Amino acid sequence: MCYLCGLLHNIGKVVTLAAVHDLAQRAGKKLASEEYDRLIETFHRHIGARVVTAWALPPPVPTVTAQWEAYASAGGARFESNVVHVAHALADFTLLESTPLARDLLVTDAAYRDLGLTPADGEPLFDSAAAINAELDRYLAP
């Protein structure tokens, strides 16, 4: 269930991007990237929740989609929301912020600790960040 929640936790961003782009084209408007970013940020949570509800996905998927960033208030889906929250933070660390400061902030965060993880538990991923990014660069190269 955590895997499904993780796959869909930001589905609203993709759906919102598609809808905003379609609406802009229909209106004959050219939006700047900042405008896309602002509209996606404004609407993606609500749209994501509506999408997973329309798809009749089982609990806790709708709750996680809406609450993964605020896992502590996710009620019965707290665990799944926290798994997605921490996984998202680990992915961000690996892809965007592979610094000692970011690593220290991540392993001392309440969400990380609430899953019973220790700083040593993240070491294999932390140590692999450069290799993961190199592989992604190779795979995504034109």
Side-chain angles (χ1 to χ4, degrees):
M1 188 54 66
C2 290
Y3 180 73
L4 179 61
C5 290
L7 286 174
L8 297 174
H9 78 283
N10 267 338
I11 190 69
K13 287 187 176 186
V14 176
V15 175
T16 303
L17 173 60
V20 166
H21 183 70
D22 184 52
L23 289 170
Q25 279 192 319
R26 286 184 191 186
K29 302 279 183 185
K30 182 161 175 64
L31 298 177
S33 62
E34 303 82 37
E35 292 170 304
Y36 275 106
D37 291 344
R38 183 179 47 80
L39 290 166
I40 291 167
E41 184 58 32
T42 300
F43 296 107
H44 83 274
R45 288 172 190 83
H46 177 71
I47 290 173
R50 294 208 43 179
V51 167
V52 297
T53 299
W55 288 345
L57 292 170
V61 177
T63 303
V64 172
T65 301
Q67 297 284 109
W68 70 270
E69 292 172 293
Y71 79 94
S73 60
R78 179 185 169 112
F79 174 76
E80 292 87 354
S81 293
N82 193 19
V83 168
V84 170
H85 176 83
V86 170
H88 192 98
L90 288 167
D92 279 351
F93 169 84
T94 303
L95 298 173
L96 306 172
E97 309 173 44
S98 300
T99 65
L101 176 60
R103 176 188 273 192
D104 292 345
L105 290 173
L106 198 152
V107 300
T108 58
D109 185 75
Y112 188 87
R113 291 191 327 268
D114 285 351
L115 291 177
L117 298 171
T118 68
D121 292 326
E123 291 300 322
L125 177 66
F126 301 147
D127 293 344
S128 299
I132 291 169
N133 283 318
E135 184 64 19
L136 283 172
D137 290 344
R138 185 187 68 75
Y139 178 74
L140 298 174

